[in-house]
Amino acid sequence: MQLPWLAPGDPLPDAAMAWGESDPVPGLLAAGGGLDVASLLQAYSHGIFPWFSEGQPILWWSPDPRMVLEADRFRLHRSLRRTLLRFAAAPDCEIRIDHDFEMVIQACSEAPRVGQNGTWILPEMVQAYTGLHQAGHAHSVETWIGGELAGGLYCVAIGRAVFGESMFARRPDASKIALAALVAFCRHHGIGMIDCQQNTSHLASLGAREMPRARFLSHVAGARRLSGPSWRFDPVYWSELLPTRSSRPT
């Protein structure tokens, strides 16, 4: 099967045309095109994302099945619950959203990954998602401890469709705290699902699961048309995951 080659500005093929299990690279849809804001919004609005390594052209993907984390299925393990309780109660710990997006995406690009050499978050990707952030469609969720950025993640948002991209940690559990904060934020604002793109054991341990692409695309088509929330974090959002102070044991 021949892979479609796109010139900058060309529309992407339908996500259902991505290569399947019997093709050379399952989930691969097209190559080429551009990483401008309009192209990225078109892609994410139709369940497609870019992912490529140094020396490769822009590659566009839409895997089937799709890994997603439904907000009400987030698995809050006992150890993480204890960590969140301590974090939420500490005066020098806070979640910030979009305080320093560029620092977060740069840290994600430098974070070592098990089984990976190098990074897919190349300078052109940093530039592209920074532009998407400036356009109001990419956000960072940041874990701050003692006045320092300890970890975080960044995501893409169109309406109430949220697409997770990457995370990093400089201190233990800092990326998990940021993910838990994003889940609490989504629950509070009626956002039912966070796209995780591809299956990993780490995401599965936190409650993510695979979903048929057709169902995922249906969700995105509806969620992207809804009014998006104000991207700020209020500590009251922790109540979506943690017991209120009055119900905690003494």
Side-chain angles (χ1 to χ4, degrees):
M1 179 180 287
Q2 187 173 2
L3 187 69
W5 181 267
L6 309 176
D10 282 352
L12 288 160
D14 188 281
M17 296 178 62
W19 283 356
E21 290 299 323
S22 61
D23 295 312
V25 187
L28 184 58
L29 176 67
L35 293 172
D36 55 283
V37 169
S39 295
L40 289 172
L41 289 178
Q42 180 207 4
Y44 280 93
S45 293
H46 295 87
I48 302 164
F49 60 90
W51 182 39
F52 58 98
S53 299
E54 187 174 5
Q56 294 179 326
I58 301 170
L59 299 176
W60 300 95
W61 302 79
S62 185
D64 186 14
R66 189 76 165 229
M67 194 71 165
V68 301
L69 177 58
E70 294 168 277
D72 62 357
R73 289 178 174 268
F74 179 63
R75 192 173 297 150
L76 188 59
H77 297 287
R78 186 176 301 174
S79 60
L80 181 56
R81 181 185 294 271
R82 289 196 297 264
T83 297
L84 292 180
L85 285 168
R86 290 193 299 268
F87 182 89
D92 65 339
C93 295
E94 62 178 320
I95 294 295
R96 302 178 187 176
I97 289 182
D98 292 340
H99 179 77
D100 198 330
F101 180 90
E102 291 186 51
M103 186 186 294
V104 169
I105 192 171
Q106 191 63 46
C108 287
S109 74
E110 297 167 355
R113 312 288 177 186
V114 177
Q116 294 185 22
N117 292 320
T119 178
W120 61 270
I121 309 176
L122 304 171
E124 54 264 48
M125 291 286 270
V126 172
Q127 181 179 2
Y129 284 87
T130 299
L132 199 60
H133 166 67
Q134 292 168 350
H137 291 288
H139 303 281
S140 56
V141 181
E142 308 160 9
T143 303
W144 287 78
I145 300 175
E148 296 183 354
L149 179 63
L153 60 85
Y154 73 97
C155 61
V156 173
I158 305 173
R160 293 190 190 176
V162 175
F163 309 85
E165 285 298 316
S166 186
M167 60 179 65
F168 79 99
R170 292 172 176 165
R171 296 179 61 167
D173 292 331
S175 60
K176 291 182 181 179
I177 293 171
L179 179 58
L182 178 59
V183 170
F185 175 90
C186 288
R187 286 187 181 183
H188 182 84
H189 290 288
I191 297 170
M193 186 184 299
I194 302 166
D195 175 37
C196 301
Q197 298 179 349
Q198 299 192 42
N199 195 336
T200 69
S201 58
H202 173 65
L203 291 169
S205 72
L206 296 172
R209 61 175 181 165
E210 292 183 332
M211 173 180 289
R213 181 173 57 210
R215 183 180 165 198
F216 171 75
L217 294 178
S218 178
H219 163 79
V220 170
R224 75 186 190 207
R225 294 184 174 92
L226 299 175
S227 177
S230 173
W231 280 82
R232 54 178 296 275
F233 191 84
D234 190 313
V236 72
Y237 298 165
W238 285 126
S239 64
E240 299 288 344
L241 296 176
L242 302 172
T244 60
R245 190 176 298 273
S246 62
S247 65
R248 293 178 189 170
T250 58

